Amino acid sequence: MLSEFELVRRYFGRAAPSALLGVGDDAAIVRPTPGAELAFATDLLLEGRHFRPHDDPRALGHKALAVNLSDMAAMGARPRWALLAIALPEADEAWLAAFAEGLYALAARFGVDLVGGDTTRGPRTLCVAILGEVPAGEALRRAGARPGDDVWVSGELGGAALALARPSEADADAARRLAAPEPRVALGERLRGLASSAIDVSDGFAQDLGHILAASGVRARVRYEALPRHAALERPGVDEALRRRCVLAGGDDYELVFTAAPAARAAIEDVGRALGVRLSRVGTIEIGAPQLAIVDARGAPIEPPRGFDHFAA
Ligand code: ADP
Ligand code: MG
């Protein structure tokens, strides 16, 4: 039977060239880039709540890191170093090898080094913490949206939610968005100096934009028809109620929602073209108490379904 230390060495002990000290001591040591501010985030994935026991371990390794990279993207930060705290019911080597493969593959693509963590026996739990850098004063915050700003969304919404709610209707792309989302890190970095606020869509568009409105003390008007929806939502088996729920309240897409002054439109469109990422202008920030008005093509209000909340009744 694999010991805890052997497990860590074998599966999570790869070299971390960007750290002064990586896995193997009591703590990792890194040297931040001079002038950079540090952005920290962590996300916890629990078996039974965020993933199922038989989910592909490679995709889980990807997702555990991806959700944290998405938080860096939403801050406009460059992700640099990660920690992995993991609880496992047993040292299943096939599972561990695949999980580590998924995690390291994504980390390599974004230049992130795994520099430490913790390992314990218990119900399967995956917790990555991430440390990123952003030039001083340039982080994208939730507070910062101003009346007159445009509201933008990257990519398409609702694919991951469809894959969760109605797997039989989801195409391969929607299924991939749920299992192994692609964090919008490059976009987040390019939005520094252009966006006035940003958030990633983890709990549903309406709810997550609501966080920007609350933090910024403004209201927003969004055109439902302008929201970019995942192609699988156009399938005949998907009715309008499900489509709306996926687009407005579906979590797990990890797209970015951001606001920017109209003067930045051309520059933002250039960024979208340069990165090959669809960027859609979907509404406007207005003066008023934090509230989101979503309207249909005729201007009639649409009541947004509730987004995800772990503690909602
Ligand atoms: P300590 O008892 O001081 O917390 P551990 O024995 O838990 O040390 O960990 C030993 C080393 O292995 C540390 O450098 C720690 O960061 C690293 N480590 C433990 N678990 C993991 C993991 N799942 N992924 C990456 N590094 C890990
Ligand atoms: Mg420890």
Side-chain angles (χ1 to χ4, degrees):
M1 182 77 176
L2 203 58
S3 78
E4 176 191 328
F5 308 104
E6 184 57 20
L7 183 162
V8 170
R9 200 192 57 75
R10 193 175 295 178
Y11 294 104
F12 302 116
R14 294 194 199 174
S18 70
L20 299 177
L21 193 57
V23 170
D25 213 310
D26 293 306
I29 306 283
V30 300
R31 180 183 288 139
T33 305
E37 289 174 352
L38 297 176
F40 295 83
T42 187
D43 252 301
L44 183 64
L45 300 185
L46 219 54
E47 185 170 282
R49 180 151 290 274
H50 302 96
F51 62 92
R52 291 156 298 212
H54 298 293
D55 281 351
D56 171 18
R58 195 176 200 287
L60 285 177
H62 175 109
K63 187 160 181 173
L65 179 61
V67 296
N68 285 275
L69 295 178
S70 179
D71 284 324
M72 293 292 106
M75 298 306 289
R78 180 149 81 92
R80 301 285 320 266
W81 302 287
L83 298 166
L84 168 68
I86 188 167
L88 298 168
E90 80 236 304
D92 176 340
E93 293 209 56
W95 192 95
L96 277 161
F99 175 85
E101 201 45 53
L103 188 137
Y104 276 112
L106 185 66
R109 278 180 48 212
F110 288 97
V112 169
D113 277 330
L114 182 65
V115 296
D118 198 26
T119 304
T120 183
R121 184 186 287 244
R124 200 176 279 142
T125 307
L126 315 169
C127 182
V128 169
I130 196 148
L131 185 50
E133 296 186 320
V134 59
E138 291 186 28
L140 305 175
R141 304 176 184 212
R142 295 179 180 186
R146 285 175 297 257
D149 283 357
D150 296 316
V151 179
W152 295 79
V153 187
S154 69
E156 286 86 30
L157 297 172
L162 181 69
L164 187 64
R166 197 74 67 73
S168 57
E169 294 294 339
D171 57 16
D173 185 75
R176 185 197 51 78
R177 279 159 186 263
L178 178 64
E182 181 65 19
R184 298 293 192 188
V185 174
L187 175 61
E189 287 200 62
R190 297 284 287 266
L191 289 176
R192 292 199 300 252
L194 291 175
S196 53
S197 72
I199 192 167
D200 63 324
V201 181
S202 56
D203 296 325
F205 168 81
Q207 180 164 311
D208 289 323
L209 175 55
H211 294 312
I212 285 184
L213 303 181
S216 303
V218 292
R219 44 173 284 137
R221 187 179 176 83
V222 163
R223 291 166 281 117
Y224 176 70
E225 298 302 326
L227 289 170
R229 7 184 226 248
H230 193 274
L233 292 169
E234 309 306 329
R235 292 188 167 191
V238 181
D239 62 30
E240 181 56 21
L242 176 60
R243 189 176 301 131
R244 273 191 193 179
R245 192 150 56 78
C246 290
V247 170
L248 295 174
D252 284 323
D253 282 315
Y254 298 99
E255 294 294 350
L256 296 185
V257 172
F258 57 97
T259 60
R265 277 179 197 170
I268 289 171
E269 278 158 9
D270 284 346
V271 167
R273 265 190 298 275
L275 298 177
V277 176
R278 177 174 172 191
L279 298 178
S280 307
R281 199 146 45 76
V282 302
T284 310
I285 299 293
E286 299 172 342
I287 297 174
Q291 201 195 336
L292 172 59
I294 302 173
V295 295
D296 67 15
R298 292 187 306 275
I302 289 177
E303 190 58 40
R306 282 243 301 267
F308 190 74
D309 181 335
H310 282 284
F311 292 100

